Amino acid sequence: MDLRAVSNPAAPVPASATPRLTLYCLPHAGGGAAHFHRWRAVLPDVEVVPLELPGHGGRLAEPVVTDLDELVELLVGELSAAPFALLGHSFGALAAYELARRARAAGNPPAVLIVCGRNGPDTPPVESRLHTLPDDELLARLRRLGGIPDEVAGQADLLRLYLPAIRADLAMAHEHRGAAGPALDIPVAAFGARDDVLTEPRLLAAWARQTTGPFELTLLPGSHFFLHAPAFVAALRDRLGRLPAAA
């Protein structure tokens, strides 16, 4: 296990005409995928492809999926055969892990699995019953975690549109009981923030049990929603840059 501490900022860099890798991104519970687009300016040789889930973001009008196996089955068909990496944040980390397992079983493994803001999948969740809270309590808890942007925090009607997706994702995370079958054999990189109340370093390190390949754990400043902090973007760029050219 390589335990890293990263603090150098990331800066925009010129885009490459021929991306060397596709990065598929999965968001946190209830989250839309659009915010991943901003990485295109700082990952010049990577094609950033956010995976929008039914009932989320740009697919808000569609019914949410409440079964993780069904969700993974929908997503695996969106992966290309070209070299790619998978990244997920919080609930998205769990979905990315199951997607990596499905893709590996189909003979199309990712070059690396990047999991952020989520303890290992065989560890109990720190807060396991968020999906059962009444609406007001759930929204208040999400505000304290930083998961609701200030510009929409006071728009109760708008927030309630996202509650079905949030509850569905949190319920799938709660019901997940670890994966049966062999471990992955690909690199896994876990990222966590030192002030994240939903993770612990020793439980983030439990991701090492999910692969026989290389494992790295990087701890960063910040709290649960750290994906767009300069330190994380710099660390992500570094990790993807260390992949072999042919992935």
Side-chain angles (χ1 to χ4, degrees):
M1 180 176 69
D2 180 10
L3 182 63
R4 297 164 180 262
V6 180
S7 60
N8 56 312
V13 285
S16 169
T18 55
R20 63 192 289 268
L21 184 78
T22 299
L23 177 64
Y24 294 102
C25 306
L26 286 156
H28 58 274
H35 64 276
F36 290 115
H37 289 305
R38 70 184 75 173
W39 285 349
R40 292 171 176 169
V42 293
L43 300 174
D45 58 349
V46 174
E47 182 183 7
V48 178
V49 178
L51 293 176
E52 193 80 272
L53 308 185
H56 298 62
R59 302 176 67 178
L60 188 61
E62 300 179 34
V64 297
V65 176
T66 58
D67 180 84
L68 188 55
D69 288 338
E70 180 183 347
L71 179 63
V72 169
E73 187 63 32
L74 290 172
L75 295 175
V76 74
E78 299 189 31
L79 304 180
S80 71
F84 69 93
L86 288 174
L87 179 148
H89 176 231
S90 198
F91 164 73
L94 187 63
Y97 164 65
E98 292 294 351
L99 184 55
R101 284 168 44 82
R102 187 72 58 90
R104 178 67 185 87
N108 186 32
V112 63
L113 170 64
I114 300 171
V115 288
C116 308
R118 214 286 183 182
N119 293 331
D122 60 351
T123 66
V126 175
E127 295 198 35
S128 62
R129 304 200 66 83
L130 284 176
H131 62 290
T132 66
L133 293 176
D135 289 356
D136 290 343
E137 290 184 36
L138 176 57
L139 291 172
R141 181 64 180 135
L142 294 175
R143 289 190 191 97
R144 289 196 295 272
L145 289 171
I148 298 179
D150 292 340
E151 58 269 23
V152 299
Q155 301 182 49
D157 291 342
L158 177 61
L159 289 174
R160 280 177 168 75
L161 289 176
Y162 294 95
L163 281 174
I166 294 170
R167 291 191 185 280
D169 294 350
L170 292 174
M172 285 188 280
H174 170 69
E175 292 162 5
H176 188 268
R177 289 296 180 268
L184 293 167
D185 56 359
I186 61 171
V188 174
F191 290 87
R194 296 189 182 95
D195 296 324
D196 186 355
V197 298
L198 297 182
T199 61
E200 299 177 28
R202 67 180 182 86
L203 298 181
L204 286 164
W207 281 104
R209 297 195 288 263
Q210 306 306 319
T211 186
T212 60
F215 175 73
E216 297 175 8
L217 171 60
T218 302
L219 296 177
L220 300 159
S223 54
H224 188 62
F225 291 94
F226 61 87
L227 288 197
H228 297 294
F232 173 73
V233 175
L236 175 62
R237 193 163 67 192
D238 171 73
R239 184 64 191 87
L240 294 176
R242 287 187 280 115
L243 290 172

